Amino acid sequence: LSPYTFKGIYTAATGGTLLISSDGYQIDFYDTYTYNITGNSDWYIQWEAVEYELWFEDHDLNNSNVPDPLTYTIEDQITLPTLSVEGYTFKGWAADIAEGNWTYELYAPGQVLGPGMYGSTSLWAEWTPNTYDVTLDYQGGTDSQGNSETIIKMTYGTKYLDYELPTVTKNGYEFMNWHIVGTGGGGVIRTGTI
C-alpha cells in the first residue's frame, strides 16, 4: 500500500510541463506540441498523495454524536475527536483494520496524528463504565458490624438487583425503607435488595 501514486514526469519539481504521463504516454511525441531539448535539462517525477477514508464507529452505546467520516492524505494532520456519554469514560479509538500504518493500539481522545498517517480504516470508540460510591447512611442506626454507614461500589448500567443491603437497627425505631438522595437519586427502595 503506497501513500503516493506516480503523477508523471515534468520539467519542474512542481508545476512545469508534463513530458511523460502516469501511464507512460510520451506527451511531446504525440501531442500537438513538441518539447525541444536544446541542452542539459532536469526532469522531475511528481507524485500525488492518495486519498484515504477514516470512519468513526460507536455501536456499543449507539452514540449519535459520532462524527462523520473524513478524507485525508499522508500530508494531512488528523485530530481524533473526543466523545462523551453519561455514565461512561471515553478511553479512545481502536482501529478495526491495521491498513497502511494504522495499528491495533488504542488512540487517545484528541490525539493529533500525522502528517504521515495513511490507509483507510474504521476507528471504534472504546468506553469504560463509571463506578460510583454509594453511601448507605444508617441515620443513627447501626449494622451488625456496628457501623453507622457503609459504602458500596456501583457500576453505571449494571443492575444490582441481587445486592443484599445491610440489616440496620436503631433503638426505639422500626426500619421502614431506604430512601435515595443525591445526584441522580430520588425514590424509595422498599426491599432488602437493589
Side-chain angles (χ1 to χ4, degrees), residues 3 8 12 22 52 71 75 90 93 101 138 153-154 157 165:
S22 59
Y52 299 100
T71 301
E75 297 171 358
F90 182 50
W93 300 97
N101 59 353
Y138 301 161
K153 301 277 188 187
M154 290 191 173
L165 295 176

Side-chain angles (χ1 to χ4, degrees), residues 14-126:
T14 57
T17 302
L18 176 63
L19 300 174
I20 301 176
S21 65
S22 59
D23 60 2
Y25 180 71
Q26 295 179 341
I27 301 298
D28 61 321
F29 292 154
Y30 302 106
D31 213 340
T32 57
Y33 64 88
T34 59
Y35 179 75
N36 296 317
I37 300 175
T38 58
N40 295 335
S41 62
D42 293 321
W43 292 2
Y44 301 86
I45 291 178
Q46 291 187 16
W47 300 94
E48 189 167 41
V50 175
E51 288 190 341
Y52 299 100
E53 288 189 296
L54 190 59
W55 297 274
F56 301 98
E57 308 282 353
D58 184 15
H59 294 301
D60 291 341
L61 299 181
N62 295 318
N63 188 353
S64 61
N65 296 321
V66 176
D68 293 330
L70 62 85
T71 301
Y72 76 100
T73 73
I74 193 171
E75 297 171 358
D76 294 328
Q77 188 176 76
I78 304 166
T79 301
L80 297 181
T82 298
L83 302 179
S84 62
V85 171
E86 181 184 28
Y88 291 85
T89 297
F90 182 50
K91 292 170 54 180
W93 300 97
D96 72 339
I97 299 175
E99 181 179 284
N101 59 353
W102 290 96
T103 65
Y104 292 115
E105 70 179 271
L106 189 66
Y107 296 94
Q111 183 174 349
V112 178
L113 302 171
M117 297 300 294
Y118 66 96
S120 294
T121 193
S122 292
L123 295 179
W124 292 79
E126 296 280 335

Side-chain angles (χ1 to χ4, degrees), residues 146-157:
N147 299 314
S148 62
E149 69 176 26
T150 190
I151 297 175
I152 58 175
K153 301 277 188 187
M154 290 191 173
T155 302
Y156 185 86

Side-chain angles (χ1 to χ4, degrees), residues 136-142 148-149 168-170 173 178:
L136 302 177
D137 188 332
Y138 301 161
Q139 296 293 295
T142 57
S148 62
E149 69 176 26
V168 179
T169 59
K170 183 176 180 180
Y173 290 85
W178 290 99

